[in-house]
């Protein structure tokens, strides 16, 4: 599932790739009780007797041109890619092109957010491929650098020509798309890399779901800016008896600012008045969903075993903390910080915190984490 980063016909849209072989679009609608529901908006069947395995929107980068078509790329279990165009004035999708990309399952398809006529794909055949959708039958490049199935790809929304890929071979590769012969950096992890997500504000941070290896946060700044073949591990966390398949960052941003410095808080936008006052300096987050199992337990104490480690093996002084759930009212509190949704005054923050979510197999748990980075 992926949200579209722009409103369509006045609504937020959620794209879903499902096991019936379809791409489904759901729109978020406010109900009379001031709550929200997801309603069917559009549906497109890819192929018979296949599973839809992934989708990506062409709107992954800020600053999209208003005249740029809104497109979706999907992949399926027969190895095909499907390029669709969504109607921005109302419901409906139309096929732009379909082509055979891989011999086995096409686990993932993703746009180059800077050149949206370019898409990338990864398959169970171990191949990473690039495609120009204007001539979709022939790949622009084919990389065999991963040794097993390629199952995660994301173009950087912050830096042009930067691409991250992950595989069952337990490696994350960082690429400069202008030269796909060798990656900028090769980051080994302890598990197959099923999801990769760039941080929405910190352009150098990359979050990876590593299945039985838990999840890892890489700092890619030196590789991107200084051409050094190193992306140190900022944080690595293993969840016992589970496989972490899903990870994502929240677009809510927490920071501590000097008292004399204006701040942008929840509900504002980069174009808002930076001096506007907020009604509640300590904001709260409502629980959007609960897992069927207890999931807000503290997973590591300062001197506990396992859990949060640097690449060197040393324990973090401030381990990753799950948000505490208040039993009455179901609210998650972030005391002492302000919740912000934009990157204004990012450099002025004395320290900041990010929310990230993980979901795992076997234990069926969704965790919501607060990661403090001072």
């Amino acid at each position: 599932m992926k949200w579209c980063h722009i409103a369509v016909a006045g609504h937020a849209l959620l794209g879903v790739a499902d096991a019936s072989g379809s791409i489904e679009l759901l729109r978020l609608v406010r109900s009379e009780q001031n709550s929200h529901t997801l309603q069917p908006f559009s549906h497109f069947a890819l192929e018979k007797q296949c599973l839809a395995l992934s989708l990506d929107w062409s709107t992954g980068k800020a600053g999209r041109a208003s005249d740029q078509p809104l497109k979706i790329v999907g992949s399926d279990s027969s190895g095909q890619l499907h390029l669709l165009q969504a109607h921005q004035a109302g419901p409906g999708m139309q096929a732009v092109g379909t082509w055979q990309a891989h011999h086995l399952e096409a686990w993932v398809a993703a746009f180059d957010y800077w050149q949206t006529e370019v898409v990338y794909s990864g398959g169970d055949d171990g191949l990473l491929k690039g495609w120009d959708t204007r001539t979709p039958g022939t790949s622009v490049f084919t990389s065999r650098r991963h040794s097993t199935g390629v199952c995660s790809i994301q173009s950087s929304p912050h830096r042009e020509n930067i691409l991250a890929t992950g595989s069952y071979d337990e490696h994350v590769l960082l690429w400069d798309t202008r030269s796909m012969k060798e990656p900028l950096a090769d980051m080994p992890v302890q598990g197959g890399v099923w999801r990769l997500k760039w941080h929405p504000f910190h352009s150098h941070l990359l979050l990876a779901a590593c299945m039985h290896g838990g999840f890892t946060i890489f700092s890619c700044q030196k590789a991107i800016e200084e051409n050094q073949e190193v992306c140190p591990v900022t944080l690595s966390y293993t969840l016992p008896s589970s496989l972490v398949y899903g990870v994502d960052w929240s677009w809510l941003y927490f920071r501590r600012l000097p008292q004399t410095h204006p701040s942008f808080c929840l509900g504002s936008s980069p174009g808002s008045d930076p001096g506007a006052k907020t009604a509640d300096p300590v904001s709260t987050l409502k629980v959007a969903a609960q897992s069927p199992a207890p999931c807000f337990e503290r997973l590591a104490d300062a001197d506990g075993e396992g859990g949060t480690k640097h690449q060197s093996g040393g324990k973090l002084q401030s381990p990753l903390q799950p948000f505490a759930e208040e039993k009455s009212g179901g609210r998650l509190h972030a005391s002492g910080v302000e919740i912000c949704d934009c990157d204004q005054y990012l450099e002025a923050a004395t320290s900041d915190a990010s929310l990230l979510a993980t979901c795992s197999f076997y234990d069926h748990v969704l965790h919501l984490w607060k990661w403090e980075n001072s």
Side-chain angles (χ1 to χ4, degrees), residues 298-318:
R298 182 186 179 93
L299 293 184
D301 295 314
D303 56 352
E305 294 185 1
T308 316
K309 296 183 179 181
H310 286 299
Q311 194 173 24
S312 62
K315 294 287 181 70
L316 288 176
Q317 293 299 315
S318 300

Side-chain angles (χ1 to χ4, degrees), residues 68-350:
Q68 182 181 346
L70 177 61
K71 292 182 180 179
I72 299 169
V73 64
S75 66
D76 70 31
S77 57
S78 67
Q80 293 189 107
L81 298 190
H82 306 265
L83 185 67
L84 310 175
Q85 183 165 329
H87 299 161
Q88 293 183 245
M93 288 181 284
Q94 66 184 58
V96 177
T98 296
W99 65 96
Q100 192 71 37
H102 297 271
H103 301 300
L104 300 172
E105 291 90 341
W107 288 119
V108 60
F111 279 99
D112 186 311
Y113 296 142
W114 299 80
Q115 303 178 69
T116 54
E117 70 275 5
V118 175
V119 298
Y120 306 103
S121 66
D124 208 47
D125 51 11
L127 301 180
L128 168 66
K129 294 187 175 185
W131 308 89
D132 188 326
T133 58
R134 294 166 295 190
T135 55
T138 304
S139 59
V140 176
F141 70 84
T142 298
S143 173
R144 294 174 172 81
R145 185 61 169 71
H146 283 293
S147 59
T148 56
V150 178
C151 42
S152 54
I153 301 173
Q154 196 182 30
S155 169
S156 170
H158 310 288
R159 302 272 185 163
E160 190 173 2
N161 305 313
I162 297 299
L163 185 73
T165 64
S167 166
Y168 288 132
D169 65 7
E170 304 187 354
H171 285 258
V172 176
L173 301 182
L174 190 68
W175 301 88
D176 184 328
T177 57
R178 294 167 295 185
S179 178
M180 294 296 294
K181 291 183 179 180
E182 287 294 328
L184 291 174
D186 183 339
M187 297 93 84
V189 294
Q190 302 298 316
V193 185
W194 191 248
R195 285 290 181 272
L196 289 168
K197 294 287 184 177
W198 289 101
H199 195 288
F201 305 108
H202 294 292
S203 61
H204 63 287
L205 292 180
L206 181 65
L207 175 63
C210 305
M211 298 176 72
H212 64 265
F215 60 94
T216 299
I217 301 173
F218 293 100
S219 175
C220 303
Q221 188 167 3
K222 290 184 178 180
I224 295 172
E225 296 180 358
E226 303 174 21
N227 203 27
Q228 296 185 23
E229 296 181 10
V230 59
C231 290
V233 172
T234 300
L235 183 75
S236 181
Y237 203 99
T238 301
L239 295 175
S241 305
S242 67
L243 296 176
V244 178
Y245 273 99
V247 291
D248 203 1
W249 299 100
S250 171
W251 282 67
L252 291 176
Y253 188 76
F254 297 77
R255 78 192 94 183
R256 292 186 180 89
L257 292 173
Q259 291 185 355
T260 57
H261 205 289
S263 64
F264 285 75
C265 291
L266 185 62
S268 71
S269 64
S272 301
D273 178 10
K277 294 182 179 180
T278 57
D280 184 6
V282 179
S283 304
T284 60
L285 289 176
K286 292 184 178 180
V287 180
Q290 286 183 256
S291 80
C295 67
F296 291 104
E297 71 274 15
R298 182 186 179 93
L299 293 184
D301 295 314
D303 56 352
E305 294 185 1
T308 316
K309 296 183 179 181
H310 286 299
Q311 194 173 24
S312 62
K315 294 287 181 70
L316 288 176
Q317 293 299 315
S318 300
L320 198 71
Q321 299 286 342
F323 259 124
E325 181 186 22
E326 185 180 289
K327 292 183 180 179
S328 59
R331 292 176 179 270
L332 299 176
H333 291 268
S335 300
V337 298
E338 291 186 343
I339 303 175
C340 305
D341 65 350
C342 62
D343 56 356
Q344 298 289 326
Y345 303 116
L346 190 61
E347 295 180 357
T350 56

Side-chain angles (χ1 to χ4, degrees), residues 45-59:
L46 300 182
E47 294 286 339
K48 293 182 179 179
Q49 298 180 336
C50 78
L51 288 73
L53 296 180
S54 77
L55 67 83
D56 197 17
W57 296 89
S58 61
T59 57

